[in-house]
Amino acid sequence: MKGEEILKVESLSKHFGGVQAILDFGFLLRKGEFLGVIGPNGSGKTTLVNLITGFVKPNSGKVIFQGKDITGKMPYTIAALGIVRTFQMVRLFYNLPAYKNLIIPLSSTRVKKLRGGEYGERDDVAVDLLDDMGFERDSFVPYKLAGSLPHGYLKRLDLARAMALRPDLLILDELFSGMAMSEVASTLPLIEKFHEEGLTIIMIEHRLKELFRVVDRVMVLNFGQKIAEGSPQEVMNTEEVRKAYLGTEVEG
Amino acid sequence: MAEIEARYRKKRLDRGIKARADTIFAIASRREILYLILPRVLPVILLLSLPFLLPVYWGKVLVYACIYGLLALSWDFLAACGLFSLGQAFFLGIGAYIAGGLSYYFHWSPFITLPIATIGGGVISAALLSPVVRLRGVYFAMVTLMLPMLFMKMIETTGLLGGTHGLSALKPFPAGWTGTYLVIGLFWVCLFLFRRIINEDYGLVLRAIRDDDRAVMSAAINIYWRKIQALFIAGAVGSFAGAFMTHHYQFVGMSAFALDFSILPVAAVTLGGPGTFAGAALGSMILVPLSEALRALGGMRMAIYCVILILSVIALPEGIFHYIERKYHQFEKLVRVG
């Protein structure tokens, strides 16, 4: 099964007024692959995620997922097909207990279809999912209001919300931003585990050290265009990438 | 003396009756059972016995309050999923005219027209508003505000369905209490059903759409389909109120689309406390009789009515029901400081 093409992006372009956010962008993703996306601030990483997941409609180009053209489809249709994302700024329901946040994806038709008849109580499924994410079920943490949880838990709750849909392709938009070192250290093995279980993942990240430890391939963006692609070592040795991250020397 | 008092401070504590989840209670005594049941049962008994206790005139006001109460409940349900409606009159008018038309042209009994008008009104409301469920906030409100006016003008100019004269001499409810108890009963059913639905998983998704529709979309849920379902439910409740009104007064006219039916439910929910349904019910039970009581004042009626509304919103912006609920679940005690 591995190696089969799962996502193909073809000459995708998007501009917001005069700003070219993504220009003639294309890449290929194979099943089971772990792709890292890096780039300086404002280089179009989040726009790329929004274009793939349908939150922003492209001006031109195509997104093909598992052989289906999903360009310009609604976000819920794309999520139902199996592309699920997390948000850079977590979008959760803070006035609900943590586990109740998962009731929302668990109510979707995708989950109903995947789980068939034997479903079980949604609440139980939700607590099980949180347990997998390191919310100790006996500690009352899953039952606390989401708004009262520390940031690291919120990020993992957002991850659990995505995993509740049993995605075919998981897109993590700066999962580690704002996390403490210890929180990153406890979350990274989860992501590695998903990858080992065969999940295809795209991960956008600013923490290069952690990212390079887990990904197979890295793509570097700058000003909406791909400036390099390859293994982490290859990419960091590219002249253009160094320029984008460190700037160019001024002559004289 | 002041010195001693200063060493005490008032402490508010929640009564510890809820365990873990909202729906699971840890009950230890008969007193606690009463504590939970009384606020639910007492109002029901009170409203069921009121038609016997009240004079005829105030009995009619009570029915009127129930009609407004249904509209307010329907408004609160839409608001729970982020749809801010200024067109409850539209739901009411559709139901009123469906029931009125069937009764006038086919002489059907209320017990056939009421279900048809309820379901039909829900379908029509949802269908006509479905193109605009993508609009949010004030834009959706504008469309709902226009719809009843549009229908009113259409009936006025085309002369269809009785035109400006309306349809009269419609089939009444059987003599006695049938009509009164039908509307009171449905008012209660609707109140408890809505309170239930909104705390079930179904309602949880609706509330989530109000809070953050993008997050719900990313959870593979078709938010527009959910909003259309909510419109059907709210539309059906509003249409029932309209159909009931038609048969109760044996008349339907353009006034069924009047602005009063759009604005007063919103005022009732604001006064009573939004998001609880009980607040909507309480608000309409206060506002409608208040408006009748002020009738004796003649011309100054509306002015005084408005002043009362403004003052109450300033004094209790959270709404009466939220305030009562909070006070009921808390007890105060003096705690010694230092």
Side-chain angles (χ1 to χ4, degrees):
Chain A
M1 286 297 273
K2 210 164 189 175
E4 194 185 314
E5 191 178 298
I6 189 167
L7 182 78
K8 197 158 91 183
V9 174
E10 283 174 358
S11 58
L12 208 60
S13 292
K14 176 71 193 177
H15 58 80
F16 298 106
V19 182
Q20 194 71 46
I22 289 286
L23 183 63
D24 198 21
F25 200 94
F27 70 94
L28 196 82
L29 191 67
R30 298 189 179 283
K31 200 164 185 176
E33 228 183 339
F34 198 148
L35 174 70
V37 178
I38 61 173
N41 288 329
S43 59
K45 303 182 297 291
T46 298
T47 305
L48 183 65
V49 175
N50 284 340
L51 284 169
I52 295 172
T53 51
F55 283 95
V56 170
K57 310 277 177 246
N59 296 116
S60 64
K62 257 187 191 174
V63 183
I64 293 158
F65 178 65
Q66 292 178 327
K68 260 187 216 157
D69 188 353
I70 58 161
T71 326
K73 287 244 161 58
M74 291 306 291
Y76 48 80
T77 316
I78 291 172
L81 286 170
I83 304 184
V84 181
R85 67 174 297 181
T86 63
F87 289 94
Q88 186 178 355
M89 296 290 170
V90 282
R91 285 170 170 268
L92 293 165
F93 303 103
Y94 297 104
N95 48 4
L96 289 179
Y99 78 103
K100 283 282 184 193
N101 269 273
L102 302 187
I103 298 299
I104 293 144
L106 289 176
S107 309
S108 67
T109 38
R110 177 180 169 83
V111 175
K112 256 175 231 159
K113 263 184 223 156
L114 285 178
R115 287 186 180 257
E118 30 108 36
Y119 188 85
E121 277 288 309
R122 280 199 193 107
D123 288 1
D124 298 339
V125 178
V127 176
D128 284 347
L129 270 163
L130 283 179
D131 202 38
D132 291 344
M133 297 292 155
F135 282 62
E136 303 80 4
R137 76 165 69 220
D138 299 322
S139 68
F140 285 90
V141 179
Y143 305 98
K144 281 192 177 152
L145 283 187
S148 68
L149 294 178
H151 189 71
Y153 273 99
L154 293 181
K155 284 275 184 176
R156 268 186 283 166
L157 183 56
D158 199 28
L159 184 61
R161 192 186 51 75
M163 290 308 289
L165 285 172
R166 294 193 177 179
D168 294 316
L169 166 61
L170 178 66
I171 304 183
L172 304 168
D173 191 359
E174 296 200 22
L175 184 69
F176 296 151
S177 69
M179 269 194 183
M181 281 310 292
S182 61
E183 291 167 339
V184 173
S186 62
T187 313
L188 203 56
L190 285 175
I191 311 284
E192 278 182 295
K193 199 186 90 196
F194 298 149
H195 179 48
E196 274 160 27
E197 286 166 1
L199 182 64
T200 319
I201 304 175
I202 298 179
M203 191 169 185
I204 291 173
E205 205 38 78
H206 271 305
R207 300 211 188 191
L208 303 185
K209 209 174 107 193
E210 284 83 8
L211 183 78
F212 288 169
R213 247 180 61 197
V214 290
V215 295
D216 306 324
R217 186 156 61 103
V218 186
M219 207 160 66
V220 192
L221 260 74
N222 199 17
F223 296 114
Q225 281 177 304
K226 185 160 64 180
I227 56 169
E229 193 176 355
S231 72
Q233 290 83 8
E234 279 169 26
V235 160
M236 285 324 275
N237 288 330
T238 315
E239 184 69 17
E240 267 196 275
V241 177
R242 289 175 169 274
K243 269 191 208 167
Y245 267 90
L246 304 171
T248 40
E249 266 178 56
V250 180
E251 277 181 44
Chain B
M1 279 306 281
E3 235 172 75
I4 299 167
E5 274 170 31
R7 287 204 192 136
Y8 289 87
R9 135 177 103 80
K10 212 185 255 176
K11 200 173 177 187
R12 295 203 176 103
L13 292 168
D14 278 342
R15 285 173 210 274
I17 197 156
K18 288 198 171 171
R20 252 195 198 191
D22 270 355
T23 44
I24 302 169
F25 297 101
I27 294 167
S29 67
R30 193 163 292 170
R31 202 167 149 257
E32 285 184 347
I33 294 176
L34 278 181
Y35 169 78
L36 281 175
I37 285 178
L38 274 186
R40 289 161 175 83
V41 170
L42 264 188
V44 176
I45 295 174
L46 185 70
L47 199 61
L48 286 179
S49 54
L50 270 182
F52 290 105
L53 305 173
L54 291 175
V56 180
Y57 174 72
W58 287 100
K60 283 181 179 164
V61 174
L62 181 69
V63 169
Y64 212 49
C66 282
I67 292 172
Y68 271 111
L70 283 167
L71 286 179
L73 286 172
S74 143
W75 187 91
D76 212 12
F77 190 76
L78 279 186
C81 75
L83 293 168
F84 188 89
S85 151
L86 282 177
Q88 295 307 102
F90 174 62
F91 302 149
L92 187 93
I94 291 286
Y97 266 101
I98 293 178
L102 292 176
S103 178
Y104 187 81
Y105 295 109
F106 302 103
H107 311 290
W108 287 358
S109 111
F111 297 103
I112 303 169
T113 62
L114 273 181
I116 295 178
T118 305
I119 305 290
V123 170
I124 293 175
S125 309
L128 284 178
L129 284 167
S130 61
V132 294
V133 286
R134 274 154 211 262
L135 302 180
R136 265 185 277 179
V138 73
Y139 302 100
F140 180 81
M142 285 306 292
V143 175
T144 54
L145 183 64
M146 292 302 141
L147 268 179
M149 295 189 192
L150 177 84
F151 271 71
M152 202 193 230
K153 286 290 161 204
M154 261 165 50
I155 289 169
E156 189 183 331
T157 41
T158 59
L160 285 172
L161 292 162
T164 46
H165 299 293
L167 306 172
S168 47
L170 304 173
K171 296 242 160 166
F173 288 107
W177 299 107
T178 320
T180 311
Y181 277 106
L182 187 67
V183 78
I184 292 177
L186 253 120
F187 176 69
W188 281 123
V189 168
C190 204
L191 172 62
F192 284 102
L193 207 68
F194 277 3
R195 274 179 75 87
R196 190 67 184 266
I197 291 178
I198 217 68
N199 286 316
E200 295 283 317
D201 291 354
Y202 184 79
L204 195 99
V205 174
L206 289 183
R207 281 184 290 153
I209 292 173
R210 178 196 59 198
D211 291 347
D212 189 340
D213 52 353
R214 283 165 73 95
V216 180
M217 277 202 271
S218 74
I221 283 175
N222 186 339
I223 59 166
Y224 302 120
W225 178 234
R226 296 286 175 134
K227 283 186 181 181
I228 290 170
Q229 291 174 3
L231 275 172
F232 169 77
I233 296 172
V237 170
S239 295
F240 171 83
F244 173 82
M245 199 173 76
T246 296
H247 285 290
H248 192 69
Y249 299 122
Q250 299 173 44
F251 169 78
V252 57
M254 285 173 2
S255 58
F257 287 114
L259 196 60
D260 275 17
F261 293 116
S262 297
I263 303 300
L264 211 102
V266 187
V269 176
T270 316
L271 178 75
T276 58
F277 300 114
L282 187 65
S284 40
M285 284 299 148
I286 294 172
L287 273 193
V288 176
L290 178 70
S291 137
E292 287 302 319
L294 292 175
R295 221 171 256 284
L297 296 170
M300 284 301 282
R301 171 173 164 249
M302 275 326 274
I304 293 172
Y305 185 66
C306 292
V307 169
I308 293 175
L309 256 182
I310 292 169
L311 287 181
S312 67
V313 169
I314 292 171
L316 271 181
E318 57 182 342
I320 296 172
F321 183 76
H322 284 293
Y323 179 79
I324 296 176
E325 194 182 32
R326 193 153 48 79
K327 287 290 166 201
Y328 187 72
H329 288 302
Q330 278 177 345
F331 57 90
E332 289 174 350
K333 71 174 183 187
L334 288 175
V335 190
R336 211 183 152 150
V337 184

